[in-house]
């Protein structure tokens, strides 16, 4: 289903790397690679309990029948996947019912305040998602939402809360047990950014009215197509290898290029997947994204003429459209396009940009996919996960941890007065005072 085009490596290059890739693949499959406690995503979709899928659908239907809004509280891997798929597949204009709103993914008081007032008078449910059950942003948003539900429904408030969390540990699981919310399990052996095909993603998707069977099918097809140890047959590993090839040539940033505005959040998911997995031990390709042709009128300039530290991965995936340019009596210089399909114009813009950027020293890879649906997007996500694991191993890092995010958390929790971080507080305050920042 995916075509990987414009690779700088040929068959001979792939053959040269095939032994090395096979070794890394086998280490991963056999649980000998770094982070092997978090490889549950590899075959999760094909082994996922059908009864659990049914339970997700049953609860989702109840919300779809009754609610105006589902508020999903989660951050990082606990929201980006669902947000990506919902935004990709919902209509661009007009609100669907129930509307899906994400929160708990920032620390903006204004955002929370607006949300609280928006929810006034609306029938809303909450899906709080946190694997650890102790993430500050999510827990804070959830506290406000729970208060609102208590105000609205009294002792029945818990009937409006669905919690997705670890099966036994964390503050959120404790609340599930004590307060009786319906809950779903985040598997212990699947990390946040690899969890979109678990209840973390499936429940919001189902409430949004998307076909989660098809989404899982896309993952299952991905498992079949991208689990080969043989580099020649495995496009995900080829993409992973080529990314590493460009990185070794000093292309330190990868730009994911999309031509469909609805894929904006997909790019955010991509950035988290690769950035949080690869960026450690002083290594990693910095992932960024552009939404073309919009960004050709902004970042396009620096891509074309700036420092040559980028390569681009063009996602050739667009919604189907039969729209063509109407005839007109206006003098708008578009006469030569009359009757042309807008989809063909998009493709021409993509090809024109590719040549312009390549000629300026910015290599372009193309990932072509013709299935813009739950299935196609699930397939693409699995492809990306496999590629990400492979590039990380090629760079010698563990794809499944995120030690770097602890530094800001420790400082933030210490500054906010969390008693468990009290020992860090004074030194931080002193530093901030010496910089004149407090
Ligand atoms: O990919 C990851 O593991 C992270 O982005 C987490 O998903 C994020 O930090 C949220 O964690 P939690 O689900 O424990 O609240």
């Amino acid at each position: 289903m995916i075509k990987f085009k414009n690779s700088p490596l040929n068959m001979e290059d792939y053959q040269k790397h095939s032994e090395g890739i096979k070794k890394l693949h086998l280490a991963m499959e056999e649980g000998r690679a770094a982070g092997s406690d978090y490889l549950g995503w590899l075959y999760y979709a094909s082994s996922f309990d059908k009864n659990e899928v049914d339970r997700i659908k049953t609860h989702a239907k109840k919300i779809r029948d009754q609610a105006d809004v589902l508020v999903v509280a989660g951050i990082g891997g606990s929201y980006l996947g669902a947000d990506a798929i919902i935004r990709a597949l919902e209509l661009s204009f007009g609100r669907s019912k129930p509307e899906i709103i994400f929160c708990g993914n920032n620390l903006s008081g204004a955002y929370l305040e607006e949300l609280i007032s928006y929810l006034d008078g609306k029938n809303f449910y909450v899906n709080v998602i946190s694997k650890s059950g102790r993430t500050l942003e999510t827990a804070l948003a959830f506290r406000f939402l729970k208060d609102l539900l208590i105000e609205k429904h009294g002792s029945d408030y818990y009937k409006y809360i669905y919690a997705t969390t670890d099966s036994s540990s964390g503050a959120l699981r404790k609340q599930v047990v004590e307060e009786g919310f319906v809950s779903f399990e985040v598997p212990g052996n699947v990390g946040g950014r690899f969890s979109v095909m678990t209840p973390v993603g499936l429940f919001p998707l189902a409430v949004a009215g998307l076909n989660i069977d098809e989404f899982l099918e896309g993952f299952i097809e991905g498992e079949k197509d991208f689990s080969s140890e043989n580099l020649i047959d495995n496009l995900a590993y080829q993409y992973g290898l080529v990314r590493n090839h460009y990185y070794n040539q000093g292309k330190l940033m990868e730009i994911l290029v999309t031509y469909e505005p609805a894929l904006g959040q997909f790019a955010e998911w991509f950035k988290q997947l690769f950035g949080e997995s690869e960026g450690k031990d002083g290594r990693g390709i910095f992932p960024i994204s552009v939404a073309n042709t919009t960004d050709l009128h902004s970042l396009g300039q620096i891509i074309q003429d700036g420092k040559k530290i980028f390569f681009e991965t063009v996602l050739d995936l667009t919604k189907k459209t039969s729209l063509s340019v109407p005839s007109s009596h206006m003098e708008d210089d578009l006469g030569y396009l009359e009757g042309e399909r807008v989809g063909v114009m998009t493709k021409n813009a993509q090809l024109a940009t590719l040549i312009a950027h390549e000629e300026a020293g910015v290599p372009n890879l193309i990932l072509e996919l013709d299935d813009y649906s739950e299935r196609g997007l699930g397939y693409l996500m699995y492809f990306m996960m496999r590629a990400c694991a492979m590039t990380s191993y090629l760079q010698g890092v563990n794809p499944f941890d995120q030690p770097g995010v602890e530094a800001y958390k420790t400082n933030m929790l210490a500054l906010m007065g969390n008693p468990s971080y009290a020992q860090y507080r004074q030194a931080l305050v002193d530093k901030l005072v010496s910089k004149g920042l407090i």
Side-chain angles (χ1 to χ4, degrees):
M1 232 170 17
I2 283 183
K3 289 188 187 141
F4 177 41
K5 294 182 169 174
N6 214 28
S7 167
L9 303 184
N10 58 28
M11 209 43 92
E12 217 174 288
D13 298 316
Y14 287 139
Q15 257 143 15
K16 225 169 47 205
H17 287 281
S18 63
E19 257 323 291
I21 295 283
K22 185 174 167 182
K23 271 197 193 131
L24 293 173
H25 168 85
L26 290 177
M28 178 160 58
E29 294 285 316
E30 291 164 11
R32 290 181 282 110
S36 56
D37 288 348
Y38 292 95
L39 287 168
W41 58 275
L42 280 173
Y43 301 103
Y44 182 90
S46 54
S47 51
F48 191 41
D49 182 359
K50 293 276 172 293
N51 293 328
E52 195 57 7
V53 177
D54 289 343
R55 194 169 76 91
I56 287 172
K57 285 186 199 163
T58 304
H59 285 293
K61 183 173 179 324
K62 182 178 147 206
I63 297 180
R64 281 184 65 68
D65 289 345
Q66 295 177 8
D68 301 315
V69 178
L70 173 73
V71 186
V72 180
I75 195 166
S78 286
Y79 95 98
L80 278 161
D83 196 16
I85 300 298
I86 292 169
R87 302 304 169 222
L89 294 172
E90 72 181 358
L91 295 174
S92 300
F93 307 103
R95 292 223 159 92
S96 57
K97 193 175 167 289
E99 185 186 356
I100 313 288
I101 293 178
F102 291 91
C103 71
N105 52 3
N106 59 57
L107 263 186
S108 162
Y111 185 91
L112 273 174
E113 215 163 38
E114 271 185 49
L115 176 61
I116 290 164
S117 90
Y118 183 71
L119 292 173
D120 189 30
K122 296 197 171 58
N123 186 16
F124 72 95
Y125 284 71
V126 173
N127 179 203
V128 55
I129 309 176
S130 177
K131 182 176 178 185
S132 62
R134 55 185 159 72
T135 301
L136 177 71
E137 291 88 338
T138 305
L140 178 74
F142 183 50
R143 177 178 277 221
F144 280 105
L145 293 166
K146 198 165 47 168
D147 275 358
L148 279 184
L149 287 171
I150 291 171
E151 215 173 275
K152 201 171 155 85
H153 302 289
S155 59
D156 274 349
Y157 76 96
Y158 71 94
K159 295 181 181 163
Y160 297 83
I161 296 173
Y162 291 77
T164 310
T165 188
D166 184 81
S167 62
S168 55
S169 68
L172 189 53
R173 177 56 61 184
K174 202 159 158 253
Q175 293 176 70
V176 169
V177 172
E178 284 170 6
E179 300 175 51
F181 324 138
V182 172
S183 73
F184 301 108
E185 189 183 319
V186 188
N189 60 358
V190 178
R193 56 195 174 276
F194 289 81
S195 70
V196 61
M197 70 299 175
T198 73
V200 169
L202 294 179
F203 188 60
L205 259 55
V207 176
L210 299 177
N211 188 328
I212 60 172
D213 293 319
E214 281 291 300
F215 186 62
L216 284 167
E217 269 310 310
F219 267 82
I220 294 169
E221 273 177 42
E223 291 176 16
K224 288 184 194 134
D225 287 358
F226 307 122
S227 299
S228 167
E229 62 183 32
N230 189 349
L231 179 60
I232 308 291
D233 299 331
N234 194 326
L235 293 184
Y237 288 171
Q238 287 179 19
Y239 172 52
L241 180 72
V242 171
R243 296 179 73 252
N244 199 48
H245 164 83
Y246 280 138
Y247 180 65
N248 290 337
Q249 289 188 342
K251 303 295 185 193
L252 303 179
M253 298 173 99
E254 176 179 21
I255 308 174
L256 183 76
V257 183
T258 56
Y259 280 84
E260 189 56 70
L263 290 173
Q265 283 309 107
F266 184 88
E268 295 305 314
W269 174 85
F270 167 92
K271 288 192 268 187
Q272 191 221 359
L273 176 70
F274 283 94
E276 210 170 10
S277 301
E278 288 177 13
K280 49 201 74 154
D281 304 337
R283 272 167 274 174
I285 300 167
F286 195 100
I288 55 174
S289 65
V290 292
N292 284 352
T293 61
T294 313
D295 282 329
L296 288 170
H297 297 259
S298 69
L299 293 173
Q301 174 60 37
I302 193 164
I303 297 170
Q304 185 79 34
D305 284 344
K307 208 167 165 60
K308 295 299 174 273
I309 51 170
F310 314 107
F311 67 96
E312 291 179 292
T313 296
V314 180
L315 191 52
D316 188 0
L317 171 67
T318 47
K319 293 184 183 180
K320 293 266 171 288
T321 160
S322 55
L323 195 71
S324 56
V325 181
S327 47
S328 160
H329 299 297
M330 281 188 296
E331 289 297 322
D332 59 3
D333 294 340
L334 295 183
Y336 71 104
L337 285 171
E338 279 180 16
E340 183 61 283
R341 281 182 296 136
V342 177
V344 172
M345 294 169 66
T346 311
K347 185 77 185 180
N348 283 333
Q350 182 192 309
L351 294 171
T353 307
L354 180 141
I355 297 294
H357 288 183
E358 286 208 334
E359 286 179 354
V362 180
N364 273 233
L365 301 170
I366 302 175
L367 295 175
E368 187 185 295
L369 184 66
D370 60 7
D371 184 4
Y372 196 106
S373 69
E374 288 90 333
R375 182 184 282 249
L377 289 165
Y379 186 76
L380 178 63
M381 283 178 149
Y382 189 85
F383 170 91
M384 293 290 187
M385 290 178 185
R386 272 278 179 184
C388 175
M390 185 48 75
T391 322
S392 304
Y393 286 135
L394 282 166
Q395 291 177 9
V397 300
N398 173 357
F400 306 115
D401 62 0
Q402 49 282 328
V405 300
E406 293 310 319
Y408 105 86
K409 270 192 206 164
T410 303
N411 290 350
M412 179 176 79
L413 294 173
L415 280 178
M416 286 178 181
N418 182 316
S420 309
Y421 294 80
Q423 73 268 37
Y424 305 110
R425 189 177 152 78
Q426 196 52 53
L428 269 171
V429 169
D430 291 347
K431 272 184 208 157
L432 291 168
V433 168
S434 75
K435 286 173 174 293
L437 295 176
I438 54 174

